Amino acid sequence: MNNYSTLKQKHRARRENFPNDLSVRIHRALSWLERAEKEISDPDASFIFHWISFNAAYSGNISEEQGYSEKSAFYSFFEQISKHDERNEVYTIIWERFSQEVRGILSNKYIFSSYWRHSNGDDDSFWENSFHASIQKTNNALASQDNCTILSILFSRIYVLRNQIFHGNATWNGRVNRSQVKDCQKLLAVLLPCLLNIMMDNPDKEWGELAYPIKGND
């Protein structure tokens, strides 16, 4: 199973043959993955550091004027990952973790964006239909091994938790949000090393330009 240590060794052994942007991207992602793996007793902190590592892996130099959105960036990244995942590693992880974290994430309405729009008074009275439809869509994607769709749905839920925590709308170690924090943290902990490994196995593919290239010490 991949973790910071095995991926760091791989990066050191291969980075001379990587494009500079990819090498820096992986270097940054691994630095945050290392920090995340040290948080064995604090799922909130582990989630935060894993998310920053994921951000380092996928984010690119795309301006808002070019139609940038977080969801479109996710989808483009997951398309690349799915296309080059020759060993079907992502599907294996999702399938193995389905009865645990994956099911917990999908069935948790508190990390479903439409629920909060409805709860906050917006006219989204059909959120429950959308909620159950997304679960069915994930099941269908599992049956057809459509990894891009599976990842996009899961990360749309994880992103809601990310917003709650990063924007101060959650309490550290709070009792009311423990299940979603633990489920999302555990899934990121196994998925993220897999994503980074796929990227390093495909250095000649397009992983995007860095939004903030190195200008001084990094």
Side-chain angles (χ1 to χ4, degrees):
M1 182 176 177
N2 288 308
N3 56 21
Y4 165 76
S5 180
T6 60
L7 293 173
K8 187 63 177 178
Q9 290 177 16
K10 186 171 185 174
H11 183 234
R12 283 175 176 152
R14 300 189 182 187
R15 62 189 175 190
E16 288 187 4
N17 298 316
F18 286 178
N20 182 66
D21 279 6
L22 175 63
S23 186
V24 173
R25 186 182 294 280
I26 295 295
H27 169 71
R28 289 171 174 173
L30 287 176
S31 73
W32 291 105
L33 178 63
E34 179 185 25
R35 186 65 182 83
E37 290 181 356
K38 293 179 180 178
E39 295 294 341
I40 57 176
S41 60
D42 189 339
D44 291 281
S46 179
F47 174 82
I48 290 169
F49 292 129
H50 273 108
W51 184 270
I52 297 173
S53 179
F54 170 65
N55 225 119
Y58 86 85
S59 62
N61 187 18
I62 307 174
S63 68
E64 292 183 4
E65 289 75 15
Q66 293 173 296
Y68 172 83
S69 74
E70 210 75 41
K71 286 186 177 180
S72 64
F74 285 175
Y75 194 81
S76 295
F77 178 66
F78 294 144
E79 276 188 320
Q80 285 288 84
I81 288 292
S82 301
K83 186 187 303 181
H84 305 305
D85 182 10
E86 296 178 356
R87 294 181 294 273
N88 218 9
E89 296 175 77
V90 169
Y91 183 82
T92 299
I93 290 173
I94 297 298
W95 182 254
E96 290 177 348
R97 313 299 296 194
F98 187 82
S99 63
Q100 302 168 67
E101 295 84 19
V102 173
R103 181 174 289 163
I105 291 169
L106 291 173
S107 62
N108 192 322
K109 67 182 181 181
Y110 299 114
I111 48 175
F112 187 63
S113 58
S114 293
Y115 165 79
W116 289 108
R117 286 196 295 270
H118 173 70
S119 180
N120 291 331
D122 291 347
D123 186 15
D124 199 353
S125 57
F126 298 104
W127 76 265
E128 288 183 275
N129 293 337
S130 300
F131 181 67
H132 293 299
S134 73
I135 295 175
Q136 185 59 53
K137 186 176 181 180
T138 306
N139 290 333
N140 293 341
L142 276 168
S144 61
Q145 297 193 22
D146 181 356
N147 294 337
C148 186
T149 296
I150 296 168
L151 288 172
S152 296
I153 293 172
L154 285 172
F155 273 81
S156 71
R157 306 296 181 84
I158 298 172
Y159 187 65
V160 174
L161 178 64
R162 175 262 185 210
N163 287 342
Q164 291 172 349
I165 292 176
F166 278 57
H167 295 289
N169 292 307
T171 303
W172 172 78
N173 201 30
R175 178 179 57 83
V176 297
N177 67 348
R178 282 303 83 195
S179 61
Q180 54 261 49
V181 170
K182 289 180 178 179
D183 284 340
C184 291
Q185 177 269 321
K186 288 178 181 178
L187 188 61
L188 280 178
V190 292
L191 265 180
L192 185 56
C194 172
L195 303 182
L196 296 176
N197 190 52
I198 292 169
M199 293 172 73
M200 283 197 283
D201 281 344
N202 295 274
D204 57 327
K205 305 303 188 278
E206 180 54 54
W207 299 108
E209 296 179 359
L210 294 171
Y212 299 96
I214 295 176
K215 296 298 185 183
N217 295 327
D218 192 298

